[in-house]
Amino acid sequence: MIAILFVVPESPRVLLMKGRVEEAEKIVCWLHSVKRDPEQEFARGEFYQMRKQAELERTLDPGWVTMFTKKGKQQLELQCGWITVGIIFNAVGAAIIDKFGRKPLMLFGVAGCGVCLAIEAAIVATYAEEATNKAALGAGVAMFYIFLAIYSLDVDVAVAGVVFYSELFPSTVLPADFVSARKDHIRAKGVCISIATIALTDLMYLQAATTAFANIGWKFHLLFIIICFLGTAFFSFYLPEMKEEMERLFGDDGVAVMLNDVHVNDNTHQLVYQKDDEKGGGAGARRYI
């Protein structure tokens, strides 16, 4: 970040606040120059908006007292509520993920997000332009909060919380002789690639969002609705539940014990380890732990 600062242009808004109008205009036109807009209509229009906003902000009180006394109740409620919902449902999801399992949470989360987005798209398509139906607009806001709650409870905990990523890739147990540890462990590398993929796809979606909403409006929601429902169908058939099942599915022969092969003997109350291929061999095939 420090290295990038030497090549990043100054903020046009800062230049406007300092009265350096021509420098600010050059930067805006450079940042938003596109070949299909030779007149730079978009850049010039945006700069006009920025310049007028800067002129207005010069007349406002920038003091610390104003920050705490200026009314903006609804905006604060929406922002604080958005953050609070995420924190609360992340905590709930982390507490129940081992009880309900990864797969059920993922299926409910991805499908639930798709349903919320579908309802949201319908509300925006029907009522957003006229903006006269307060009940519908309120339902649209509520749907965003429900979406966040479902995402935070399920998807964010199971996937973005790297639970699936860390369990998907096998790890190496280091022997007593640390120097001779295997060099082919891939869990850290796999998680790294997974997180990088999330960051890159998020960047792509966010960069495209402004242009997409400006040109196709609510229809941009359809992309994510389709992704959610296709993901739900895929997960239903192919998503394994536990770490051991994942490693068995991917043919990893480095698993010492499968959890499904361990149970408690009802008579002796001892822990018994018995592989699937040994279960037909009678009591002698059982190994008491």
Side-chain angles (χ1 to χ4, degrees):
M1 292 299 295
I2 294 175
I4 291 175
L5 289 177
F6 292 99
V7 296
V8 171
E10 180 59 272
S11 166
R13 299 181 190 277
V14 171
L15 294 175
L16 283 172
M17 295 302 291
K18 294 181 178 180
R20 296 158 63 179
V21 179
E22 292 183 1
E23 293 180 56
E25 185 175 11
K26 288 181 180 179
I27 291 174
V28 172
C29 290
W30 174 69
L31 288 173
H32 296 284
S33 176
V34 291
K35 293 182 180 179
R36 64 176 182 273
D37 185 15
E39 297 294 331
Q40 294 188 313
E41 181 179 356
F42 175 78
R44 290 163 63 186
E46 185 181 41
F47 178 74
Y48 176 78
Q49 181 188 41
M50 293 168 60
R51 181 161 57 86
K52 288 299 182 181
Q53 184 65 31
E55 292 174 0
L56 173 63
E57 291 178 357
R58 287 197 190 96
T59 66
L60 303 177
D61 182 8
W64 287 94
V65 175
T66 304
M67 185 177 70
F68 292 99
T69 58
K70 180 178 174 62
K71 294 183 177 180
K73 183 174 182 292
Q74 189 177 38
Q75 184 178 10
L76 288 174
E77 287 176 344
L78 293 176
Q79 292 178 348
C80 293
W82 182 265
I83 296 172
T84 304
V85 168
I87 293 174
I88 292 175
F89 282 90
N90 270 165
V92 174
I96 67 175
I97 187 172
D98 286 327
K99 180 177 181 180
F100 291 95
R102 283 78 163 138
K103 186 173 182 176
L105 285 184
M106 278 295 296
L107 290 175
F108 175 77
V110 176
C113 286
V115 172
C116 290
L117 288 174
I119 298 174
E120 183 69 32
I123 292 174
V124 173
T126 308
Y127 301 104
E129 186 172 354
E130 296 180 358
T132 56
N133 191 324
K134 292 185 178 180
L137 296 178
V141 174
M143 200 53 55
F144 269 122
Y145 280 107
I146 296 173
F147 170 90
L148 178 63
I150 294 175
Y151 182 87
S152 301
L153 178 69
D154 305 302
V155 182
D156 204 23
V157 171
V159 177
V162 302
V163 173
F164 259 116
Y165 302 147
S166 61
E167 293 180 350
L168 181 64
F169 300 98
S171 64
T172 298
V173 179
L174 300 180
D177 181 6
F178 181 81
V179 178
S180 64
R182 289 169 53 194
K183 302 296 184 182
D184 59 344
H185 53 286
I186 60 174
R187 174 166 293 180
K189 297 180 179 66
V191 172
C192 178
I193 293 174
S194 301
I195 298 299
T197 302
I198 287 183
L200 292 174
T201 52
D202 284 349
L203 179 63
M204 180 181 66
Y205 291 142
L206 291 173
Q207 288 295 317
T210 303
T211 303
F213 280 121
N215 288 276
I216 61 176
W218 64 270
K219 295 178 182 178
F220 186 51
H221 288 88
L222 295 177
L223 169 65
F224 302 98
I225 294 170
I226 293 171
I227 290 175
C228 285
F229 290 133
L230 287 178
T232 302
F234 178 82
F235 292 157
S236 298
F237 294 100
Y238 295 104
L239 188 68
E241 168 53 40
M242 300 179 65
K243 171 186 173 183
E244 290 82 6
E245 292 180 356
M246 287 183 174
E247 291 176 330
R248 175 181 288 175
L249 177 67
F250 287 100
D252 192 331
D253 58 357
V255 182
V257 176
M258 296 293 182
L259 188 58
N260 291 337
D261 296 331
V262 179
H263 65 277
V264 175
N265 187 297
D266 295 333
N267 297 321
T268 64
H269 304 291
Q270 288 184 282
L271 197 62
V272 179
Y273 170 56
Q274 186 176 18
K275 293 184 180 180
D276 289 334
D277 56 359
E278 296 176 345
K279 290 180 180 178
R286 299 178 182 176
R287 303 176 190 176
Y288 290 89
I289 304 173

